Amino acid sequence: TAPATPDRPVPPVVPGWTHRFSGKVRDVYAPEGTHPDGDVLLLVASDRVSAYDHVLPTPVPGKGAVLTALSLWWFEQLQDLVDTHLTGAPVPAEVRGRAVVVRALDMVPVECVARGYLSGSGTAEYLQGGSVCGVPLPPGLTEGSRLPEPVFTPATKAAVGEHDENVDFERVVAEVGRETAEELRRLTLAVYRRAAAVTERAGILLADTKLELGRVPGGDGRLVLGDEVLTPDSSRFWPADAWQPGRTQPSLDKQVVRDWLTSPASGWDRASDSPPPPLPAEVVERTAAGYREVYRRLTGADLPG
Ligand code: ATP
Ligand code: MG
């Protein structure tokens, strides 16, 4: 195996499970030998944080636990809309609280994004041609504007270190067929609408969110919701009381990190190729508190454990 780097740290040893691969944030394991529950995976959420397309050299303690608990909470809210990959099988003690045992899916190679507000790559595309992923939008919108209605803005998954590429609906059709493409769009928008109503009651605007869906190999062909759902890593959550179109909106989770990285104190030049510096302890602590606060505001409860 390749040596560990800040971008690729050593995944934890989990008895009974073999490390398969790691994404930016999750370490994915398959069971050693045969598993009584059939084909499953263990998804372990690390405390790694990414900002400005870099995985930061400093982890944020408790972040993996927040993302895991929040995903579990959302999966429950969404049960009646879509099947989920959760199995409910017990999680090994070594990673309890920040891992889930899931059905191994054949993932559909499309990042299913729904947007209710214009931001990031959506704004960039809109300013170039007045549309996002082939969906025409009214004139006069700006960074942070609310869209007349939520839109499905799919993207193709990029290799590590590269940006996902926004694509139009017909590209998804070419990739996965019309029936699947339409089902992806329907489910993504249904999940977005349900979730946006929930976050709004908590004073949080759901600007956009990304879902990943797949199918159980040899199963009935139905699409199943996988990965994480509606976490600060897969979504833009904006405090409603600070919403002000025309500028970058503050975010509850990573604002402290972003502000510090772009301040003179960090000594880091975002435009350069250099990796970001380690975070000071005080920034780490405030960021960890921000993640816990997202969980508390959305679920109305403190983080379990
Ligand atoms: P992204 O930034 O797009 O989320 P990533 O590099 O952050 O990608 P992680 O979230 O760190 O990815 O790792 C999770 C990985 O596990 C992803 O590749 C995701 O597609 C995959 N995955 C999630 N759920 C399942 C599942 N039920 N079956 C198979 N693969 C899954
Ligand atoms: Mg992911």
Side-chain angles (χ1 to χ4, degrees), residues 106-114 133 152-158 164-178 180-186 188 209-215 223-228:
D106 283 336
M107 301 307 288
V108 177
V110 176
E111 308 268 300
C112 294
V113 179
C133 297
F152 179 57
T153 60
T156 53
K157 204 173 179 125
D164 293 347
E165 188 199 347
N166 285 349
V167 295
D168 66 17
F169 187 71
E170 289 307 318
R171 262 285 289 285
V172 179
V173 170
E175 192 81 30
V176 302
R178 188 163 301 275
T180 297
E182 281 174 0
E183 189 64 356
L184 291 175
R185 178 169 61 187
R186 184 185 72 78
T188 304
T209 196
K210 180 201 77 174
L211 308 179
E212 293 189 27
L213 294 117
R215 291 190 176 90
L223 287 168
V224 175
L225 187 55
D227 205 51
E228 61 179 342

Side-chain angles (χ1 to χ4, degrees), residues 64-155:
V66 170
L67 296 195
T68 300
L70 191 56
S71 272
L72 285 169
W73 183 81
W74 277 117
F75 274 124
E76 205 176 304
Q77 316 293 309
L78 302 171
Q79 284 185 79
D80 59 309
L81 289 181
V82 59
D83 291 340
T84 81
H85 67 163
L86 298 182
T87 64
V91 169
E94 287 75 10
V95 291
R96 198 161 293 153
R98 59 190 183 92
V100 278
V101 177
V102 302
R103 282 184 283 176
L105 303 176
D106 283 336
M107 301 307 288
V108 177
V110 176
E111 308 268 300
C112 294
V113 179
R115 298 171 192 265
Y117 295 77
L118 205 55
S119 189
S121 68
T123 307
E125 228 188 291
Y126 170 78
L127 292 176
Q128 296 237 322
S131 65
V132 180
C133 297
V135 181
L137 297 173
L141 302 180
T142 174
E143 175 70 30
S145 290
R146 188 182 167 101
L147 301 177
E149 60 180 344
V151 291
F152 179 57
T153 60

Side-chain angles (χ1 to χ4, degrees), residues 259-268 277-278 280 283:
D259 289 349
W260 183 78
L261 281 175
T262 53
S263 76
S266 79
W268 183 60
V283 172

Side-chain angles (χ1 to χ4, degrees), residues 15-35:
W17 297 82
T18 309
H19 178 249
R20 273 277 182 78
F21 67 96
S22 293
K24 285 191 289 294
V25 168
R26 280 175 190 72
D27 301 314
V28 182
Y29 298 72
E32 270 168 18
T34 53
H35 198 279

